Amino acid sequence: MSNTSENPNPSSSSAKMTLKTSDNELFEVEEAVAMKFCTVKQYFEDEKDSDVAARGSTTVIPLPNVHSAVLTMLISYGKKLPQSNAVADNHEEEETKKKERKKYEQGLLKNLMPGELLDLISAANYLDFKEGLEFFNQALADHIQNKSVEYVRKFFGIKNDYEPHEEEKYREEYAWAFEGIECWLIGELKQFMAKTKTLDIAGTLLGIKPALIVASFSVRGLNSLDSNILKPEMIAPGENILAAWINAIGPTGLDSNT
Amino acid sequence: MGRLRSYSYLPQDLLEEILTRLPVISIIRFKCVNKSWYNLFENHTFIAKHHRHHSSQKNPSLLVEVEDSTTTPQRSVMSMHLAEGLNSGVSLDMPFIPERLVYISDCINGIICLRELSSRLVLWNPAVREYKVIPNPPSHVHSPSNVCYDYPTFAFGYDHISNDYKLVQIGTYSTVLYDLIDQILHPVVHIYTLSTDTWRQIDTGFDHSILNFPGECSNNLYLNGVYHWPGCIILDKHGRHCEVIVCFDMRDEVFQIMKMPNLGDISHIEKIWKTAAVLNDCAALIIYDLKQTKQFDIWVMNEYGVEESWTKQFVIGPLIVELTLHDQLLLVDDKLALINDKGHILLYDFGAQEIKHLQLRNLPGSVFVSQAITYVESLVSVARGKVEAKKRG
């Protein structure tokens, strides 16, 4: 997914561009796709005009407002768009392609959390990626259209400035517009349940090289001097794991942590 | 894939882009979100943008008056997506019971003019569920006994300069001699404007040689703020006449004549049936030869007002379908929709060049479609007259 920027062959024919995200990841992208991001296109064209960068050199275009996770998705969507220089297909081929794209788009949306849509829209707007913006704007509109007022307020972080009696009056007058809308809490729960993942036990893996190493400061076995000192029955990889704790007692028991 | 911040802050114009994509019912509900959203949704620019967006979508809707012997009540008015037929139909709350409905005008900016049995006229926005009863037009001047007054006909239109909706009533008088129409006199034209909620009389600006005023049938066409219908002009006193398109400009409130395409010598063909429609924002004429060729000729006026620009763009058929004069022909996007009174929709797709049969309901014998128009929702308010930005808070 992310590569370093070295391009050993400056004269390679499939022109690629390198984009650098806000978290300093580098993406090598085909020019045809990158040009759909008009901000990138503008940058590239400005660079071309200046004498400094020659074509095909490893110019890295910085995108300080776009995170790598978001860019991955936008690039993947950009690749699936019909190319502007493609030969015109006959009607049947066009229909098949349309159906394929629709399937891809539905799959894409299924795995997205609604909040991620906002990030995608912001990024697509910054990049001036018209097709992406159109698609994700519509996706967000489709997502919120049958939601309740409370959901929309929470989603966009909007404060309700109506007096209770004003809101009540409006809801009564336009009751028909509020029919059949599920309470936002139920909606959130449903969404959460749909996205829950289950862990499967993979079993014991043998022969993995290099084997994971237990850190020097972690407990690793029975103390040879005193067998009352216990070893961990189960360990998991990772350092600096943030775990939940109750407010009453801080994570380390130190006063500074409460 | 992780999220980085709680809620990305969306700039206002981007938020508006998203909100214009919402259906009207969602927008009515979300007016309750906060006062700023309420004001946005009442704003005239937003309403226009919203309607423009929905007009350009490729999922055309129809508003149909349906009589279904299997349901109670039997008559209803529904909106439906053309591609899905009546199964996607949503019954609409009407200002009066459907049994009293006589006529549905074209839908302009989401607003429809209805005429009721008692001749009452109503402006209706089904999406917002608002309607306005139009005060009775001035009754005709009491005329001498040899003058008879034909039933007036109406044209509904929109003046985009003053953002106002107008209804034109055209009443024709003719002198009667021995129970036959002798001479047709000056038509009397009154115009109603929504903003003033009043009727006024205007000078017609054309002489009485024009016959055929807009009838309550599908031959009328509203485009570019001008109301068109097929008419006839008497050329001389020998009774020779020629067919033209009569237009009424809603802004300037004047009548004009436009030439029909040169159809060649069609005088020998009986039962030529003409319907006016809009295709790709151009005026189009659908000529159907019922007897002989059984094919549809679609003429399009590529340049508005330029008579030479009439071109026979499509020829469809011959179709082996039984058509009657009661059937409705509509041009919806790039498809020709034929709705016959048995409740079947025939869709001809110009792009694919294929005909699709759509059943409106599972029991074909039970459904009778009496009227159909293309329909796009809008937020335009009729109850308060002219659309104004009403501020709250």
Side-chain angles (χ1 to χ4, degrees), chain A residues 67 116 119 134 137 144-145 147 153-155 158 161-162 167 170 176-178 181, chain B residues 1 3-4 7-8 18 21 23 26 28-35 37-38 129:
Chain A
H67 190 267
E116 290 163 346
D119 295 328
E134 166 75 40
N137 276 347
I144 64 173
Q145 73 160 26
K147 297 288 187 292
R153 284 182 189 142
K154 285 190 176 357
F155 188 85
I158 295 175
D161 55 356
Y162 281 113
E167 187 175 335
Y170 188 85
W176 54 267
F178 291 85
I181 301 301
Chain B
M1 178 172 157
R3 274 208 285 121
L4 315 158
Y7 296 112
S8 297
I18 295 167
R21 287 163 159 73
S26 305
I28 298 292
R29 188 183 331 122
F30 294 155
K31 272 185 176 179
C32 202
V33 166
N34 76 351
K35 292 179 183 172
W37 278 38
Y38 182 94
R129 305 196 189 190

mmCIF file of all heavy atoms in Angstrom, chain A residues 67 116 119 134 137 144-145 147 153-155 158 161-162 167 170 176-178 181, chain B residues 1 3-4 7-8 18 21 23 26 28-35 37-38 129:
data_model
loop_
_atom_site.group_PDB
_atom_site.id
_atom_site.type_symbol
_atom_site.label_atom_id
_atom_site.label_comp_id
_atom_site.label_asym_id
_atom_site.label_seq_id
_atom_site.Cartn_x
_atom_site.Cartn_y
_atom_site.Cartn_z
ATOM 1 N N HIS A 67 -4.846 12.228 5.508
ATOM 2 C CA HIS A 67 -4.241 11.096 6.200
ATOM 3 C C HIS A 67 -4.116 9.916 5.241
ATOM 4 O O HIS A 67 -4.895 9.788 4.302
ATOM 5 C CB HIS A 67 -5.114 10.721 7.404
ATOM 6 C CG HIS A 67 -4.478 9.732 8.326
ATOM 7 N ND1 HIS A 67 -4.675 8.377 8.206
ATOM 8 C CD2 HIS A 67 -3.637 9.901 9.368
ATOM 9 C CE1 HIS A 67 -3.989 7.763 9.148
ATOM 10 N NE2 HIS A 67 -3.355 8.648 9.870
ATOM 11 N N GLU A 116 -16.326 8.163 8.970
ATOM 12 C CA GLU A 116 -15.260 8.117 7.974
ATOM 13 C C GLU A 116 -15.670 8.837 6.701
ATOM 14 O O GLU A 116 -14.837 9.397 5.987
ATOM 15 C CB GLU A 116 -14.883 6.653 7.678
ATOM 16 C CG GLU A 116 -14.165 6.020 8.855
ATOM 17 C CD GLU A 116 -14.136 4.498 8.778
ATOM 18 O OE1 GLU A 116 -14.879 3.924 7.962
ATOM 19 O OE2 GLU A 116 -13.371 3.885 9.537
ATOM 20 N N ASP A 119 -14.563 12.347 6.853
ATOM 21 C CA ASP A 119 -13.139 12.509 6.551
ATOM 22 C C ASP A 119 -12.899 12.423 5.053
ATOM 23 O O ASP A 119 -12.107 13.183 4.497
ATOM 24 C CB ASP A 119 -12.315 11.416 7.252
ATOM 25 C CG ASP A 119 -12.391 11.538 8.759
ATOM 26 O OD1 ASP A 119 -12.514 12.669 9.245
ATOM 27 O OD2 ASP A 119 -12.341 10.503 9.440
ATOM 28 N N GLU A 134 -18.575 13.932 -5.378
ATOM 29 C CA GLU A 134 -19.949 13.668 -5.803
ATOM 30 C C GLU A 134 -20.450 12.368 -5.179
ATOM 31 O O GLU A 134 -21.528 12.305 -4.597
ATOM 32 C CB GLU A 134 -19.956 13.605 -7.333
ATOM 33 C CG GLU A 134 -21.182 13.033 -7.979
ATOM 34 C CD GLU A 134 -22.361 13.975 -7.948
ATOM 35 O OE1 GLU A 134 -22.149 15.179 -8.162
ATOM 36 O OE2 GLU A 134 -23.475 13.508 -7.682
ATOM 37 N N ASN A 137 -20.529 12.596 -1.207
ATOM 38 C CA ASN A 137 -21.608 13.500 -0.785
ATOM 39 C C ASN A 137 -22.946 12.785 -0.862
ATOM 40 O O ASN A 137 -23.774 12.857 0.044
ATOM 41 C CB ASN A 137 -21.660 14.747 -1.681
ATOM 42 C CG ASN A 137 -20.686 15.816 -1.232
ATOM 43 O OD1 ASN A 137 -20.138 15.745 -0.141
ATOM 44 N ND2 ASN A 137 -20.486 16.811 -2.077
ATOM 45 N N ILE A 144 -27.974 9.843 5.868
ATOM 46 C CA ILE A 144 -28.717 10.604 6.889
ATOM 47 C C ILE A 144 -30.181 10.815 6.554
ATOM 48 O O ILE A 144 -30.960 11.231 7.409
ATOM 49 C CB ILE A 144 -28.068 11.985 7.193
ATOM 50 C CG1 ILE A 144 -28.096 12.888 5.976
ATOM 51 C CG2 ILE A 144 -26.689 11.814 7.762
ATOM 52 C CD1 ILE A 144 -27.627 14.293 6.303
ATOM 53 N N GLN A 145 -30.584 10.494 5.332
ATOM 54 C CA GLN A 145 -31.930 10.934 4.926
ATOM 55 C C GLN A 145 -33.061 10.366 5.781
ATOM 56 O O GLN A 145 -34.070 11.036 5.976
ATOM 57 C CB GLN A 145 -32.178 10.628 3.455
ATOM 58 C CG GLN A 145 -32.383 9.175 3.164
ATOM 59 C CD GLN A 145 -33.083 8.972 1.845
ATOM 60 O OE1 GLN A 145 -33.001 9.803 0.955
ATOM 61 N NE2 GLN A 145 -33.771 7.867 1.715
ATOM 62 N N LYS A 147 -32.737 9.386 8.957
ATOM 63 C CA LYS A 147 -32.371 9.420 10.365
ATOM 64 C C LYS A 147 -33.159 10.495 11.106
ATOM 65 O O LYS A 147 -33.749 11.383 10.513
ATOM 66 C CB LYS A 147 -30.863 9.719 10.505
ATOM 67 C CG LYS A 147 -29.967 8.663 9.915
ATOM 68 C CD LYS A 147 -29.986 7.406 10.758
ATOM 69 C CE LYS A 147 -28.988 6.358 10.317
ATOM 70 N NZ LYS A 147 -29.296 5.756 9.039
ATOM 71 N N ARG A 153 -28.042 15.900 14.675
ATOM 72 C CA ARG A 153 -27.369 16.866 15.557
ATOM 73 C C ARG A 153 -26.065 16.268 16.085
ATOM 74 O O ARG A 153 -25.020 16.928 16.067
ATOM 75 C CB ARG A 153 -28.273 17.214 16.739
ATOM 76 C CG ARG A 153 -29.403 18.164 16.405
ATOM 77 C CD ARG A 153 -30.208 18.471 17.645
ATOM 78 N NE ARG A 153 -31.407 19.210 17.330
ATOM 79 C CZ ARG A 153 -32.570 19.023 17.942
ATOM 80 N NH1 ARG A 153 -32.680 18.110 18.886
ATOM 81 N NH2 ARG A 153 -33.623 19.760 17.610
ATOM 82 N N LYS A 154 -26.134 15.013 16.536
ATOM 83 C CA LYS A 154 -24.937 14.377 17.087
ATOM 84 C C LYS A 154 -23.886 14.197 16.010
ATOM 85 O O LYS A 154 -22.704 14.395 16.232
ATOM 86 C CB LYS A 154 -25.291 13.026 17.697
ATOM 87 C CG LYS A 154 -25.994 13.149 19.025
ATOM 88 C CD LYS A 154 -26.096 11.802 19.702
ATOM 89 C CE LYS A 154 -26.708 11.832 21.084
ATOM 90 N NZ LYS A 154 -27.084 13.065 21.683
ATOM 91 N N PHE A 155 -24.345 13.826 14.838
ATOM 92 C CA PHE A 155 -23.409 13.501 13.762
ATOM 93 C C PHE A 155 -22.585 14.723 13.357
ATOM 94 O O PHE A 155 -21.378 14.649 13.162
ATOM 95 C CB PHE A 155 -24.201 12.973 12.561
ATOM 96 C CG PHE A 155 -23.342 12.430 11.473
ATOM 97 C CD1 PHE A 155 -22.891 11.129 11.512
ATOM 98 C CD2 PHE A 155 -22.969 13.223 10.394
ATOM 99 C CE1 PHE A 155 -22.098 10.609 10.510
ATOM 100 C CE2 PHE A 155 -22.172 12.715 9.385
ATOM 101 C CZ PHE A 155 -21.739 11.408 9.449
ATOM 102 N N ILE A 158 -24.040 19.525 16.112
ATOM 103 C CA ILE A 158 -24.831 20.759 16.095
ATOM 104 C C ILE A 158 -25.629 20.885 17.383
ATOM 105 O O ILE A 158 -26.236 19.924 17.842
ATOM 106 C CB ILE A 158 -25.816 20.731 14.906
ATOM 107 C CG1 ILE A 158 -25.030 20.743 13.601
ATOM 108 C CG2 ILE A 158 -26.757 21.923 14.947
ATOM 109 C CD1 ILE A 158 -25.916 20.587 12.392
ATOM 110 N N ASP A 161 -30.814 24.930 19.148
ATOM 111 C CA ASP A 161 -31.107 26.229 19.744
ATOM 112 C C ASP A 161 -32.589 26.563 19.767
ATOM 113 O O ASP A 161 -32.990 27.711 19.899
ATOM 114 C CB ASP A 161 -30.300 27.345 19.049
ATOM 115 C CG ASP A 161 -30.534 27.339 17.548
ATOM 116 O OD1 ASP A 161 -31.248 26.454 17.047
ATOM 117 O OD2 ASP A 161 -29.986 28.222 16.859
ATOM 118 N N TYR A 162 -33.423 25.551 19.603
ATOM 119 C CA TYR A 162 -34.864 25.772 19.717
ATOM 120 C C TYR A 162 -35.287 25.667 21.171
ATOM 121 O O TYR A 162 -34.752 24.861 21.923
ATOM 122 C CB TYR A 162 -35.646 24.712 18.936
ATOM 123 C CG TYR A 162 -35.707 24.946 17.461
ATOM 124 C CD1 TYR A 162 -35.065 24.095 16.582
ATOM 125 C CD2 TYR A 162 -36.432 26.012 16.929
ATOM 126 C CE1 TYR A 162 -35.141 24.296 15.221
ATOM 127 C CE2 TYR A 162 -36.504 26.216 15.570
ATOM 128 C CZ TYR A 162 -35.856 25.358 14.727
ATOM 129 O OH TYR A 162 -35.930 25.548 13.379
ATOM 130 N N GLU A 167 -39.889 23.502 19.387
ATOM 131 C CA GLU A 167 -39.602 22.254 18.691
ATOM 132 C C GLU A 167 -40.829 21.349 18.696
ATOM 133 O O GLU A 167 -41.177 20.748 17.682
ATOM 134 C CB GLU A 167 -38.430 21.542 19.371
ATOM 135 C CG GLU A 167 -37.983 20.315 18.581
ATOM 136 C CD GLU A 167 -36.759 19.652 19.157
ATOM 137 O OE1 GLU A 167 -35.972 20.346 19.836
ATOM 138 O OE2 GLU A 167 -36.591 18.442 18.932
ATOM 139 N N TYR A 170 -43.319 22.475 16.131
ATOM 140 C CA TYR A 170 -42.922 22.131 14.772
ATOM 141 C C TYR A 170 -43.165 20.647 14.488
ATOM 142 O O TYR A 170 -43.681 20.275 13.443
ATOM 143 C CB TYR A 170 -41.450 22.476 14.544
ATOM 144 C CG TYR A 170 -41.042 22.316 13.105
ATOM 145 C CD1 TYR A 170 -41.247 23.342 12.184
ATOM 146 C CD2 TYR A 170 -40.487 21.122 12.645
ATOM 147 C CE1 TYR A 170 -40.908 23.189 10.861
ATOM 148 C CE2 TYR A 170 -40.148 20.968 11.321
ATOM 149 C CZ TYR A 170 -40.357 22.006 10.431
ATOM 150 O OH TYR A 170 -40.030 21.848 9.114
ATOM 151 N N TRP A 176 -46.058 14.280 9.815
ATOM 152 C CA TRP A 176 -45.915 13.324 8.711
ATOM 153 C C TRP A 176 -44.460 13.139 8.299
ATOM 154 O O TRP A 176 -44.082 12.100 7.780
ATOM 155 C CB TRP A 176 -46.768 13.743 7.524
ATOM 156 C CG TRP A 176 -46.548 15.133 7.030
ATOM 157 C CD1 TRP A 176 -47.243 16.238 7.418
ATOM 158 C CD2 TRP A 176 -45.587 15.585 6.067
ATOM 159 N NE1 TRP A 176 -46.770 17.349 6.758
ATOM 160 C CE2 TRP A 176 -45.763 16.981 5.919
ATOM 161 C CE3 TRP A 176 -44.598 14.952 5.315
ATOM 162 C CZ2 TRP A 176 -44.992 17.752 5.056
ATOM 163 C CZ3 TRP A 176 -43.815 15.719 4.451
ATOM 164 C CH2 TRP A 176 -44.023 17.102 4.335
ATOM 165 N N ALA A 177 -43.632 14.172 8.556
ATOM 166 C CA ALA A 177 -42.230 14.055 8.163
ATOM 167 C C ALA A 177 -41.422 13.263 9.183
ATOM 168 O O ALA A 177 -40.279 12.884 8.922
ATOM 169 C CB ALA A 177 -41.614 15.436 7.981
ATOM 170 N N PHE A 178 -42.020 13.038 10.382
ATOM 171 C CA PHE A 178 -41.285 12.352 11.441
ATOM 172 C C PHE A 178 -41.721 10.906 11.602
ATOM 173 O O PHE A 178 -41.217 10.204 12.465
ATOM 174 C CB PHE A 178 -41.491 13.086 12.776
ATOM 175 C CG PHE A 178 -40.826 14.434 12.810
ATOM 176 C CD1 PHE A 178 -41.477 15.555 12.307
ATOM 177 C CD2 PHE A 178 -39.561 14.578 13.328
ATOM 178 C CE1 PHE A 178 -40.861 16.800 12.319
ATOM 179 C CE2 PHE A 178 -38.939 15.823 13.367
ATOM 180 C CZ PHE A 178 -39.589 16.930 12.865
ATOM 181 N N ILE A 181 -39.406 7.152 11.705
ATOM 182 C CA ILE A 181 -37.965 7.381 11.856
ATOM 183 C C ILE A 181 -37.517 6.739 13.151
ATOM 184 O O ILE A 181 -38.061 7.015 14.208
ATOM 185 C CB ILE A 181 -37.678 8.893 11.912
ATOM 186 C CG1 ILE A 181 -38.177 9.550 10.631
ATOM 187 C CG2 ILE A 181 -36.204 9.170 12.103
ATOM 188 C CD1 ILE A 181 -37.556 9.009 9.381
ATOM 189 N N MET B 1 -9.294 0.712 9.186
ATOM 190 C CA MET B 1 -9.123 2.138 8.869
ATOM 191 C C MET B 1 -9.638 2.975 10.029
ATOM 192 O O MET B 1 -10.762 2.825 10.465
ATOM 193 C CB MET B 1 -9.937 2.433 7.609
ATOM 194 C CG MET B 1 -9.866 3.875 7.234
ATOM 195 S SD MET B 1 -10.638 4.130 5.658
ATOM 196 C CE MET B 1 -11.027 5.819 5.773
ATOM 197 N N ARG B 3 -10.366 6.454 12.429
ATOM 198 C CA ARG B 3 -10.801 7.834 12.305
ATOM 199 C C ARG B 3 -9.864 8.711 13.092
ATOM 200 O O ARG B 3 -9.303 8.304 14.080
ATOM 201 C CB ARG B 3 -12.227 7.986 12.816
ATOM 202 C CG ARG B 3 -13.228 7.687 11.740
ATOM 203 C CD ARG B 3 -14.501 8.432 11.950
ATOM 204 N NE ARG B 3 -15.273 7.843 13.005
ATOM 205 C CZ ARG B 3 -15.644 8.504 14.096
ATOM 206 N NH1 ARG B 3 -15.300 9.742 14.276
ATOM 207 N NH2 ARG B 3 -16.358 7.924 15.017
ATOM 208 N N LEU B 4 -9.708 9.927 12.633
ATOM 209 C CA LEU B 4 -8.677 10.757 13.238
ATOM 210 C C LEU B 4 -9.210 11.745 14.254
ATOM 211 O O LEU B 4 -8.631 11.971 15.266
ATOM 212 C CB LEU B 4 -7.966 11.523 12.127
ATOM 213 C CG LEU B 4 -7.644 10.601 10.969
ATOM 214 C CD1 LEU B 4 -7.445 11.390 9.711
ATOM 215 C CD2 LEU B 4 -6.412 9.810 11.295
ATOM 216 N N TYR B 7 -15.441 14.708 14.743
ATOM 217 C CA TYR B 7 -16.283 15.041 13.603
ATOM 218 C C TYR B 7 -15.524 16.044 12.758
ATOM 219 O O TYR B 7 -15.204 17.112 13.206
ATOM 220 C CB TYR B 7 -17.611 15.645 14.053
ATOM 221 C CG TYR B 7 -18.441 14.671 14.841
ATOM 222 C CD1 TYR B 7 -18.677 14.872 16.183
ATOM 223 C CD2 TYR B 7 -18.957 13.537 14.233
ATOM 224 C CE1 TYR B 7 -19.434 13.977 16.896
ATOM 225 C CE2 TYR B 7 -19.708 12.639 14.957
ATOM 226 C CZ TYR B 7 -19.942 12.863 16.286
ATOM 227 O OH TYR B 7 -20.689 11.979 16.994
ATOM 228 N N SER B 8 -15.254 15.666 11.542
ATOM 229 C CA SER B 8 -14.573 16.618 10.671
ATOM 230 C C SER B 8 -15.446 17.844 10.537
ATOM 231 O O SER B 8 -16.649 17.741 10.393
ATOM 232 C CB SER B 8 -14.377 16.021 9.282
ATOM 233 O OG SER B 8 -13.555 14.917 9.344
ATOM 234 N N ILE B 18 -24.283 18.661 0.301
ATOM 235 C CA ILE B 18 -24.825 17.390 0.774
ATOM 236 C C ILE B 18 -26.322 17.518 1.017
ATOM 237 O O ILE B 18 -27.101 16.642 0.645
ATOM 238 C CB ILE B 18 -24.097 16.962 2.066
ATOM 239 C CG1 ILE B 18 -22.625 16.688 1.769
ATOM 240 C CG2 ILE B 18 -24.739 15.708 2.668
ATOM 241 C CD1 ILE B 18 -21.768 16.567 2.995
ATOM 242 N N ARG B 21 -28.980 17.174 -1.685
ATOM 243 C CA ARG B 21 -29.258 15.846 -2.202
ATOM 244 C C ARG B 21 -30.342 15.115 -1.428
ATOM 245 O O ARG B 21 -30.740 14.014 -1.785
ATOM 246 C CB ARG B 21 -27.977 15.010 -2.173
ATOM 247 C CG ARG B 21 -26.997 15.430 -3.217
ATOM 248 C CD ARG B 21 -25.609 14.892 -2.914
ATOM 249 N NE ARG B 21 -24.796 14.857 -4.092
ATOM 250 C CZ ARG B 21 -24.273 15.912 -4.695
ATOM 251 N NH1 ARG B 21 -24.462 17.102 -4.204
ATOM 252 N NH2 ARG B 21 -23.546 15.776 -5.793
ATOM 253 N N PRO B 23 -34.051 14.154 0.008
ATOM 254 C CA PRO B 23 -35.434 14.292 -0.463
ATOM 255 C C PRO B 23 -36.178 15.305 0.394
ATOM 256 O O PRO B 23 -35.763 15.602 1.512
ATOM 257 C CB PRO B 23 -36.013 12.887 -0.265
ATOM 258 C CG PRO B 23 -35.138 12.232 0.733
ATOM 259 C CD PRO B 23 -33.783 12.856 0.615
ATOM 260 N N SER B 26 -37.087 14.586 4.143
ATOM 261 C CA SER B 26 -35.982 14.674 5.095
ATOM 262 C C SER B 26 -35.690 16.129 5.435
ATOM 263 O O SER B 26 -35.403 16.465 6.583
ATOM 264 C CB SER B 26 -34.724 14.033 4.519
ATOM 265 O OG SER B 26 -34.977 12.707 4.129
ATOM 266 N N ILE B 28 -37.781 18.652 5.415
ATOM 267 C CA ILE B 28 -38.829 19.176 6.302
ATOM 268 C C ILE B 28 -38.519 18.748 7.736
ATOM 269 O O ILE B 28 -38.624 19.528 8.676
ATOM 270 C CB ILE B 28 -40.208 18.646 5.878
ATOM 271 C CG1 ILE B 28 -40.550 19.110 4.465
ATOM 272 C CG2 ILE B 28 -41.276 19.065 6.857
ATOM 273 C CD1 ILE B 28 -40.772 20.585 4.348
ATOM 274 N N ARG B 29 -38.105 17.503 7.900
ATOM 275 C CA ARG B 29 -37.778 17.009 9.236
ATOM 276 C C ARG B 29 -36.565 17.742 9.812
ATOM 277 O O ARG B 29 -36.559 18.143 10.970
ATOM 278 C CB ARG B 29 -37.496 15.513 9.173
ATOM 279 C CG ARG B 29 -37.330 14.865 10.551
ATOM 280 C CD ARG B 29 -36.970 13.383 10.501
ATOM 281 N NE ARG B 29 -37.478 12.741 9.319
ATOM 282 C CZ ARG B 29 -36.718 12.104 8.423
ATOM 283 N NH1 ARG B 29 -35.419 12.008 8.602
ATOM 284 N NH2 ARG B 29 -37.263 11.564 7.364
ATOM 285 N N PHE B 30 -35.537 17.940 8.998
ATOM 286 C CA PHE B 30 -34.295 18.520 9.499
ATOM 287 C C PHE B 30 -34.371 20.033 9.701
ATOM 288 O O PHE B 30 -33.423 20.639 10.191
ATOM 289 C CB PHE B 30 -33.126 18.168 8.580
ATOM 290 C CG PHE B 30 -32.804 16.702 8.559
ATOM 291 C CD1 PHE B 30 -32.173 16.136 7.471
ATOM 292 C CD2 PHE B 30 -33.140 15.874 9.621
ATOM 293 C CE1 PHE B 30 -31.885 14.781 7.437
ATOM 294 C CE2 PHE B 30 -32.857 14.520 9.596
ATOM 295 C CZ PHE B 30 -32.231 13.972 8.499
ATOM 296 N N LYS B 31 -35.501 20.623 9.325
ATOM 297 C CA LYS B 31 -35.674 22.045 9.663
ATOM 298 C C LYS B 31 -35.684 22.182 11.176
ATOM 299 O O LYS B 31 -35.455 23.261 11.718
ATOM 300 C CB LYS B 31 -37.000 22.560 9.109
ATOM 301 C CG LYS B 31 -36.918 23.065 7.700
ATOM 302 C CD LYS B 31 -38.280 23.667 7.304
ATOM 303 C CE LYS B 31 -38.227 24.287 5.936
ATOM 304 N NZ LYS B 31 -39.526 24.837 5.525
ATOM 305 N N CYS B 32 -35.934 21.074 11.855
ATOM 306 C CA CYS B 32 -36.010 21.050 13.305
ATOM 307 C C CYS B 32 -34.643 20.909 13.958
ATOM 308 O O CYS B 32 -34.525 20.963 15.176
ATOM 309 C CB CYS B 32 -36.910 19.870 13.689
ATOM 310 S SG CYS B 32 -37.643 19.989 15.290
ATOM 311 N N VAL B 33 -33.586 20.712 13.198
ATOM 312 C CA VAL B 33 -32.262 20.471 13.773
ATOM 313 C C VAL B 33 -31.778 21.696 14.542
ATOM 314 O O VAL B 33 -31.426 21.617 15.707
ATOM 315 C CB VAL B 33 -31.245 20.071 12.674
ATOM 316 C CG1 VAL B 33 -29.824 20.138 13.185
ATOM 317 C CG2 VAL B 33 -31.561 18.691 12.149
ATOM 318 N N ASN B 34 -31.733 22.817 13.853
ATOM 319 C CA ASN B 34 -31.512 24.063 14.586
ATOM 320 C C ASN B 34 -31.973 25.221 13.705
ATOM 321 O O ASN B 34 -32.370 25.030 12.560
ATOM 322 C CB ASN B 34 -30.060 24.225 15.069
ATOM 323 C CG ASN B 34 -29.096 24.605 13.967
ATOM 324 O OD1 ASN B 34 -29.428 24.602 12.784
ATOM 325 N ND2 ASN B 34 -27.887 24.944 14.336
ATOM 326 N N LYS B 35 -31.918 26.425 14.250
ATOM 327 C CA LYS B 35 -32.504 27.564 13.528
ATOM 328 C C LYS B 35 -31.722 27.899 12.268
ATOM 329 O O LYS B 35 -32.284 28.344 11.271
ATOM 330 C CB LYS B 35 -32.567 28.784 14.449
ATOM 331 C CG LYS B 35 -33.573 28.579 15.560
ATOM 332 C CD LYS B 35 -33.650 29.766 16.497
ATOM 333 C CE LYS B 35 -34.633 29.456 17.619
ATOM 334 N NZ LYS B 35 -34.624 30.468 18.675
ATOM 335 N N TRP B 37 -30.231 25.780 10.243
ATOM 336 C CA TRP B 37 -30.674 24.867 9.196
ATOM 337 C C TRP B 37 -32.058 25.270 8.707
ATOM 338 O O TRP B 37 -32.354 25.198 7.509
ATOM 339 C CB TRP B 37 -30.687 23.418 9.706
ATOM 340 C CG TRP B 37 -29.342 22.764 9.670
ATOM 341 C CD1 TRP B 37 -28.137 23.337 9.958
ATOM 342 C CD2 TRP B 37 -29.058 21.403 9.350
ATOM 343 N NE1 TRP B 37 -27.125 22.436 9.818
ATOM 344 C CE2 TRP B 37 -27.659 21.228 9.464
ATOM 345 C CE3 TRP B 37 -29.841 20.306 8.990
ATOM 346 C CZ2 TRP B 37 -27.036 20.008 9.209
ATOM 347 C CZ3 TRP B 37 -29.219 19.091 8.749
ATOM 348 C CH2 TRP B 37 -27.832 18.953 8.860
ATOM 349 N N TYR B 38 -32.913 25.701 9.618
ATOM 350 C CA TYR B 38 -34.259 26.129 9.225
ATOM 351 C C TYR B 38 -34.165 27.271 8.224
ATOM 352 O O TYR B 38 -34.798 27.264 7.171
ATOM 353 C CB TYR B 38 -35.048 26.569 10.459
ATOM 354 C CG TYR B 38 -36.463 26.970 10.157
ATOM 355 C CD1 TYR B 38 -37.510 26.061 10.260
ATOM 356 C CD2 TYR B 38 -36.774 28.279 9.742
ATOM 357 C CE1 TYR B 38 -38.812 26.428 9.975
ATOM 358 C CE2 TYR B 38 -38.071 28.645 9.454
ATOM 359 C CZ TYR B 38 -39.083 27.721 9.572
ATOM 360 O OH TYR B 38 -40.368 28.080 9.280
ATOM 361 N N ARG B 129 -46.684 19.145 0.936
ATOM 362 C CA ARG B 129 -48.083 19.032 1.376
ATOM 363 C C ARG B 129 -48.722 20.393 1.650
ATOM 364 O O ARG B 129 -49.372 20.590 2.677
ATOM 365 C CB ARG B 129 -48.198 18.147 2.620
ATOM 366 C CG ARG B 129 -47.588 16.792 2.380
ATOM 367 C CD ARG B 129 -47.983 15.785 3.376
ATOM 368 N NE ARG B 129 -47.181 14.576 3.179
ATOM 369 C CZ ARG B 129 -47.401 13.424 3.768
ATOM 370 N NH1 ARG B 129 -48.402 13.317 4.598
ATOM 371 N NH2 ARG B 129 -46.620 12.400 3.530
#
